């Protein structure tokens, strides 16, 4: 079948993207769903910094590629072997498919699935190969999803069913921003009620972390960012202290607000400088968690004596150490109970033809989450 999709053919286009048009809206060919695969009609797809980092070249991926990885839609057809989904089901896409039989999956850590990571790196689906084509040959899949498109064929392991009354533009955010941000709080850091938490970087993932910390009962919760607008949004969630990262005494201010440094500091800005600040904001015996994805050559110098003598912990978090089948329904329940106001992350909705200009807004920090709706 033929579908419209946003295709990236070369990384590193000049800004503004509204003029250079790195994403071209093209008619491409999509194969039917194969064994253990599902055809999904996309209804909403969020713009994330992980997409932007492919466009600007900071996260090299095989090209040409149909972008998009944070999405929700409706099942249109299922391939052989798929018995637990049916046409009409509402689903959220997850950007790391889990095979359920490799060592990390067997240990209960599907976010680290080895075949899933290998397939994503090659721009393929979990079963191997590509289902998107143009006149020149195959197009690569973005993180097993390629969701900036009218329809997508994905692995069954890239989908989680959600309630039929969950709005698509909100449902899409659970597949990346919420899984990553809330999961970093609840799974990676295992924040307990009464602990102090600071979040550095208030994009969609960082703001989701603020929500997750509040839902976990953390106090105080301190939000840190360069944008006063995003700091104000964090404050509107309730019980949040804020610090502008441009303040030369930002680290000291976090120490003052938390009585000597936060028990848990989460870095969500995707920068070595931000991670260094997060490390310095963490108290003795505390935990620093990073889910940011800076350029691959970024490094963090760590004082080893401080690491040992202060019994510090530095942890990475990928997709919030999530088990999507377990966590997405739980987070949806928290949203419906009013404890995770995920709808507050949504800045605006757009059509697919507006996507390049929307990435300018994301790059300049003017939006939290813009969602393409179909």
């Amino acid at each position: 079948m033929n579908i419209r999709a946003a295709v990236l053919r070369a990384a590193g286009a000049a800004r503004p993207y509204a003029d250079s048009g790195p994403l071209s809206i093209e008619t491409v060919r999509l194969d039917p769903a194969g064994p253990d695969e599902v055809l999904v009609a996309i209804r909403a797809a969020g713009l994330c910094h992980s997409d932007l980092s492919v466009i600007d070249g900071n996260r090299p991926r095989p090209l040409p590629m149909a972008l998009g990885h944070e999405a929700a839609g409706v099942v249109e057809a299922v391939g052989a072997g798929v018995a637990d989904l049916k046409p009409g089901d509402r689903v959220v896409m997850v950007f790391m498919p889990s095979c359920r039989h490799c060592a990390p999956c067997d240990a209960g850590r599907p976010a680290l699935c080895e075949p899933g990571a290998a397939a994503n790196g090659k721009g393929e689906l979990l079963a191997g190969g590509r289902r998107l084509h143009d006149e020149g040959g195959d197009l690569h899949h973005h993180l097993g999803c390629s969701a900036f498109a009218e329809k997508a064929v994905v692995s069954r392991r890239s989908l989680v069913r959600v309630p039929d009354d969950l709005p698509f533009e909100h449902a899409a955010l659970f597949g990346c921003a919420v899984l990553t941000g809330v999961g970093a709080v609840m799974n990676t850091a295992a924040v307990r009620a009464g602990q102090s938490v600071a979040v550095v970087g208030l994009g969609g993932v960082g703001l989701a972390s603020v929500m997750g910390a509040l839902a976990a009962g953390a106090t105080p919760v301190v939000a840190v960012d360069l944008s006063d607008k995003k700091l104000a949004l964090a404050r509107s969630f309730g019980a949040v202290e804020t610090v502008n990262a441009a303040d030369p005494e930002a680290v000291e201010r976090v120490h003052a607000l938390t009585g000597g440094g936060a028990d848990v500091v989460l870095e969500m800005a995707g920068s070595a400088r931000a991670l260094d600040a997060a490390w310095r904001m963490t108290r003795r015996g505390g935990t620093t968690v990073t889910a940011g994805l800076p350029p691959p050559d970024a490094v963090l110098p760590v004082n080893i004596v401080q690491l040992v003598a202060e019994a510090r912990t530095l942890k990475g978090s990928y997709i919030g150490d999530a088990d999507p089948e377990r966590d997405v329904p739980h987070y949806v329940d928290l949203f419906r109970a009013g404890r995770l106001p995920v709808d507050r992350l949504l800045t605006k909705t757009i059509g697919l033809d507006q996507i390049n200009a929307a990435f300018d807004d994301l790059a300049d920090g003017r939006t939290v989450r813009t969602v393409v709706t179909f």
Side-chain angles (χ1 to χ4, degrees):
M1 72 189 73
N2 289 332
I3 63 166
R4 294 174 74 239
V7 178
L8 180 71
R9 296 191 174 275
R15 296 278 314 281
Y17 297 136
D19 295 334
S20 61
L23 291 172
S24 55
I25 310 305
E26 304 179 15
T27 297
V28 301
R29 191 171 75 257
L30 178 65
D31 293 339
D36 296 317
E37 294 175 352
V38 180
L39 172 65
V40 178
I42 307 297
R43 293 291 182 260
L47 276 64
C48 174
H49 274 89
S50 293
D51 304 302
L52 180 61
S53 66
V54 180
I55 294 170
D56 66 20
N58 278 323
R59 300 290 297 174
R61 294 284 180 182
L63 301 177
M65 174 174 280
L67 282 193
H69 69 283
E70 180 186 76
V74 175
V75 172
E76 276 206 355
V78 299
V82 178
D84 55 347
L85 289 176
K86 64 183 185 304
D89 285 346
R90 190 168 300 207
V91 289
V92 165
M93 288 188 175
V94 176
F95 64 90
M96 174 58 78
S98 51
C99 70
R100 299 292 177 175
H101 58 70
C102 68
C105 285
D106 191 52
R109 304 192 71 185
L112 300 180
C113 176
E114 292 168 345
N120 282 359
K122 292 186 288 186
E124 297 182 350
L125 296 190
L126 185 62
R130 304 168 186 89
R131 313 294 180 266
L132 289 164
H133 319 278
D134 63 9
E135 293 181 357
D138 293 344
L139 299 175
H140 295 88
H141 296 272
H142 186 212
L143 301 175
C145 297
S146 291
F148 296 145
E150 294 170 326
K151 298 182 182 183
V153 167
V154 301
S155 168
R156 167 63 189 89
R157 294 300 182 181
S158 295
L159 298 173
V160 177
R161 187 179 177 187
V162 294
D164 291 340
D165 60 349
L166 184 65
F168 290 111
E169 64 270 25
H170 302 153
L173 307 182
F174 284 86
C176 178
V178 177
L179 264 187
T180 302
V182 179
V185 172
M186 296 189 174
N187 296 328
T188 310
V191 170
R192 303 186 305 275
Q195 286 189 303
S196 55
V197 171
V199 179
V200 181
L202 300 180
V205 173
L207 285 166
S209 292
V210 172
M211 294 178 187
L214 292 169
T219 183
V221 175
V222 183
V224 183
D225 198 88
L226 292 166
S227 166
D228 287 332
K229 183 177 180 181
K230 291 180 179 178
L231 292 171
L233 180 57
R235 282 194 299 273
S236 76
F237 298 162
V240 179
E241 302 282 356
T242 56
V243 174
N244 194 298
D247 185 338
E249 296 186 354
V251 172
E252 290 74 16
R253 287 199 59 201
V254 172
H255 276 250
L257 289 167
T258 57
D263 294 309
V264 174
V265 183
L266 301 114
E267 183 276 315
M268 302 297 183
S271 116
R273 183 176 178 181
L275 182 54
D276 176 69
W279 174 258
R280 291 183 288 119
M281 292 172 182
T282 308
R283 74 181 314 110
R284 293 168 58 88
T287 299
T288 309
V289 173
T290 177
L293 287 171
D297 59 352
V299 296
L300 175 72
V302 173
N303 184 301
I304 299 174
V305 171
Q306 183 184 41
L307 177 68
V308 175
E310 296 186 5
R312 299 280 210 94
T313 301
L314 175 62
K315 301 182 75 172
S317 178
Y318 192 56
I319 326 178
D321 281 320
D323 181 337
E325 293 284 352
R326 175 197 67 201
D327 292 342
V328 170
H330 176 49
Y331 299 159
V332 169
D333 286 344
L334 290 175
F335 168 59
R336 292 163 75 124
R339 296 179 61 194
L340 282 180
V342 172
D343 55 311
R344 303 289 301 281
L345 300 177
L346 180 62
T347 305
K348 62 180 178 179
T349 61
I350 61 168
L352 186 60
D353 292 329
Q354 301 168 278
I355 196 167
N356 285 303
F359 272 111
D360 283 320
D361 291 338
L362 180 63
D364 292 334
R366 293 190 291 267
T367 54
V368 175
R369 270 300 190 268
T370 297
V371 172
V372 179
T373 56
F374 297 85

